[in-house]
Amino acid sequence: MTDSTPILSLKSVRKMFGPYAAVDDIDIDISEGEFFTIVGPSGSGKTTLLRMLAGMDQPTSGDIMLRGERINDIPANKRPTCMVFQSLALFPHRTVGQNIEFPLKIRGEDPERRKARALQLMALLRLPEHYYAKNVMKCSGGERQRVALARALAYDPQILFFDEPLSAIDYKLRKTLEKELKDIHRETKKTFIYITHSLEEAMVMSDRIGVMRAGKLVQVGTPHQIYTSPTTRFVSEFVGDVNVIPVSLGARGSLRMAENGRELKPPKLPAGFGNGYLVVRPEYIRFLDKAGDADNAVEGKLYNEYALGSRIQYQVRVGDAVFVVEKLRQQPFSGKLDDKVIIGWDAKDAILVTD
Ligand code: ATP
C-alpha cells in the first residue's frame, strides 16, 4: 500500500434485485479525509450503494476495497466504519452523555475516560456541557442530530457514512447544520461519505460529488465542476433553475434553436456535435439595451418576477419558450411586467450537452 492508495475503492460494483440493477457497474476511488457526497433522485440507488459500502449488504458482483484490502464479505460491525442514520437510532431513555459514551463502554473504557471523551465530543459538536446529564428525548431535533454524530465519532471510525441525516430537519436549521458538518469534517479530518437527494446540500459541504441516475454514476466532480461543467442535461437541471434550449448544428458552425430556427453563437463545439441542448444558467442571462450588447440576444415579454432574497428572478416569455433570468437585487433594472425586453448572454457562458 502506498500513500496514494484510496481509503475506499469501488471496482465495477453492481447490485441486482432480480433482473433489475439498482447499482450498475460503479467505479470510484475516494481519498483519505475526503468529504464525498453521492447525490441523485429518489430510486437512483444511493441507499443501495451506501449499504454495500457500510457492509449492510453485499454486491452481486465487483469489489469494494478498503485501503487496498477487499472487504466485500466483512460485515458492518467488523468494519472500521460507522453509519449516521436519518432515523438517529439514539437510546431514548438515556442521557446525552450515556448515548455518546456507548461505543466507549462496549470497548471497556473506564468511566472517567469515557466522560472526558464525551465532553470533548460535545464541545466539538457545540453541545453545552450541562447537556451531559440531559435526557436525549428532551433535546431538539438538531441537538439530537449532533448527539448522533458525537456518538458516531466516539467509535473513532476511519470512515463515517451519512444517510440523509438532515432531510427531516427544517430549512433554517438544516442550513446551519450543513455548515457545522463541514466544520466538523475539517476539524476531525475523517473521511465522510454522505448521501442526499439535494444537490444544493451536496454543494455546500462536499469536496467532491458523485451524481447517480438509475443505478449509474453519471458524473463525478467538485461542486464547481458539477455546477459550471455538467456533462448532461440531467446534471445541469439537478441544481436550481436553468435554461435548456434544444439546438442543432446550423450553418458555419453556429447553433440553430429547434423552436424557431434562430441562429445562436455557440460555446466551443464538441467534435462531431450534431444536436443537443444549450444550457444557460439564469445568472448569466442579462437584460440588454440593444441586441448587439451580447453574443446572443432574444426578444421577449417580461411576465413574472420572484423575490429570492438577495436576488430577483424573472421569467421572460420568448415565443412558446420561457427564459429564467436572475440578477442581484442591487443591480438597477426598471423593467415592469408585460414590458417588451431584450435578454442575452455571451457564448462562453453557455454549456453544450448532448443528452
Ligand atoms: P431514495 O432517495 O428514495 O431513498 P435511493 O436513491 O436511495 O432512493 P434505493 O433505495 O437505493 O434508491 O433504491 C434503488 C432501486 O432499487 C429502487 O428502484 C428500489 O425500488 C430498488 N430496491 C431497493 N432495495 C430493494 C430490495 N431490497 N428489493 C428490491 N428492490 C429494491
Side-chain angles (χ1 to χ4, degrees), residues 81-84 99-100 103 107 121 146-157 159-162 190:
T81 59
C82 187
M83 183 89 138
V84 184
N99 267 283
I100 299 174
R107 217 184 279 155
L121 288 167
R146 283 176 231 182
V147 176
L149 183 51
R151 189 176 68 178
L153 286 166
Y155 283 99
D156 197 24
I159 304 177
L160 277 108
F161 295 111
F162 296 87
K190 299 264 182 209

Side-chain angles (χ1 to χ4, degrees), residues 240-259:
D241 293 301
V242 71
N243 297 287
V244 177
I245 308 163
V247 289
S248 59
L249 191 64
R252 299 173 309 281
S254 70
L255 293 176
R256 197 188 302 278
M257 278 173 75
E259 195 209 352

